[in-house]
Amino acid sequence: MTTMAQETATATATGTARPAAQQTASTVRRHELAAFLRHRREHIAPEQVGLPRGTRRRTPGLRREEVAQLAAVGVTWYTWLEQARDIQVSVQVLDALARTLLLDRSERSHLFQLADATDPQPATVCPVVTPALQAMLDQLDPIPACLQNARYDILAYNRTYGMLLCDLDAVPPEDRNCMILSYTHQEWRSSIVHLEKTQRLMAARFRGSMADHLADPTWKTLLKRLHTSPEFCEVWDRHEVMGASPRRKEFRNAHVGRLTVDHTDLWLGPSRGPRMVTYAPADEESRQRLERLHAIALEK
């Protein structure tokens, strides 16, 4: 097996050596990935993946060729991967290995991190949404509140927010994105008093945040989906950029009428990361209407 020292010497001799810090990080990452794959392979019984154990098996767990076959990759290529060779690994192959090795959500995330790749599969459970955060959202009722990420995905929400712009419970989880809803969901669109202005502001913030995620498949997939809307294309072509800032909003709720609220972002981590979005009533009439909306949501 190639050692880290041998790899460094070879790279230096061939003139392909990278900066020392970058080379060290990359080499360590590859060796950690190789060890992780070997460990998972050796701890999966053949029966778990539908293979017969046989009577002559000496290898603990699965053989390398069995993993390669199940993941539809070459045996030599997979062997190199377990030997920490400096080879490129696509997200499609990582996805196949994750399924073959029966990785759970945390292990799958670890695999992609070791490979320095972004998992294109949207998570069904967001690690940001802890029971404590959901409890905080619920305690804010009747003030509408939700958790969003920089892509405008709605990760969690309280009862009042769930009835603010539409019946959010009825929206498929993969469509719970404020950008998508503002261009495709008629009730959501009609609930925003200043829709065109809101769309421009959101697109400008989205562009500013996307600069940190240009190679992220999930961002590119969302952008491609948005480009099916001529409205979005017109706004996007303006190339406007804007950061986050508190502002007043007006909504036209189907149950209680017009609402004026103050939008505030409470950041849960670094700027442009997950945030708690709150809509505090800007006047007494809006406060009373939000209380009625919350009562309606409780009766659902």
Side-chain angles (χ1 to χ4, degrees), residues 114-161:
L114 290 177
D116 198 20
T118 301
D119 188 351
Q121 176 179 302
T124 55
V125 178
C126 178
V128 172
V129 185
T130 63
L133 280 174
Q134 183 63 60
M136 287 179 63
L137 291 175
D138 296 337
Q139 287 295 316
L140 284 171
D141 270 323
I143 294 176
C146 71
L147 296 181
Q148 292 182 19
N149 59 19
R151 288 194 309 271
Y152 285 103
D153 293 327
I154 302 170
L155 310 176
Y157 50 91
N158 62 12
R159 290 179 181 271
T160 311
Y161 185 90

Side-chain angles (χ1 to χ4, degrees), residues 127-193:
V128 172
V129 185
T130 63
L133 280 174
Q134 183 63 60
M136 287 179 63
L137 291 175
D138 296 337
Q139 287 295 316
L140 284 171
D141 270 323
I143 294 176
C146 71
L147 296 181
Q148 292 182 19
N149 59 19
R151 288 194 309 271
Y152 285 103
D153 293 327
I154 302 170
L155 310 176
Y157 50 91
N158 62 12
R159 290 179 181 271
T160 311
Y161 185 90
M163 297 288 290
L164 182 63
L165 293 144
C166 71
D167 182 359
L168 200 53
D169 289 344
V171 176
E174 63 271 19
D175 293 337
R176 292 176 191 166
N177 175 281
C178 294
M179 296 279 285
I180 293 293
L181 291 168
S182 71
Y183 288 100
T184 64
H185 195 286
Q186 188 53 46
E187 185 180 356
W188 186 281
R189 289 164 56 86
S190 63
S191 296
I192 301 174
V193 174

